[in-house]
Amino acid sequence: MNKKLHFIAMLFCMQPMFSNAADVTEGENLFAQFRCADCHGVDARTQVSKTSRPIAGMNPDQIYTKTKRFIETRAHDNVITGCGEPPSTIQIKKIADYLATLPK
């Protein structure tokens, strides 16, 4: 039983590796399109301002949930004003999948 749990845990940790390659590539393009690098750095690891945080290599579900919440609560309004329309939930998911593939 313990071996099964260990295997399942290992697969869960490897989850970002199983992302669709096309979605990851599209996520990279969306990261650029929505100018995420303006705050998180081109590598998503460089803190550009005091309020931005490195997001490369984070769990994609955390990125998705936090970004979606920022947009829904309009807490991101002052940040995304220059980015045009905020990303859709599908676009957020693709960006999150891309960021999860980057080294921390």
Side-chain angles (χ1 to χ4, degrees):
M1 177 90 170
N2 193 16
K3 287 182 180 181
K4 286 182 184 178
L5 288 175
H6 183 267
F7 179 74
I8 291 170
M10 183 182 73
L11 286 177
F12 180 75
C13 291
M14 294 173 56
Q15 183 261 339
M17 295 171 53
F18 296 121
S19 297
N20 179 341
D23 284 348
V24 170
T25 300
E26 188 173 350
E28 181 177 13
N29 293 334
L30 291 167
F31 184 82
Q33 175 186 332
F34 287 102
R35 298 176 44 199
C36 305
D38 288 2
C39 294
H40 298 286
V42 176
D43 60 0
R45 285 181 274 153
T46 305
Q47 190 171 347
V48 178
S49 72
K50 292 179 184 177
T51 58
S52 68
R53 300 284 179 253
I55 53 176
M58 282 181 62
N59 178 300
D61 294 331
Q62 287 180 320
I63 297 169
Y64 174 83
T65 301
K66 288 180 179 188
T67 305
K68 189 170 178 272
R69 189 173 353 147
F70 277 136
I71 290 170
E72 288 173 350
T73 62
R74 304 183 64 94
H76 235 59
D77 276 0
N78 62 331
V79 176
I80 62 172
T81 300
C83 305
E85 195 69 24
S88 69
T89 55
I90 293 170
Q91 290 170 321
I92 295 169
K93 174 73 172 112
K94 290 178 181 182
I95 293 169
D97 286 344
Y98 158 67
L99 292 168
T101 67
L102 300 177
K104 287 187 176 186

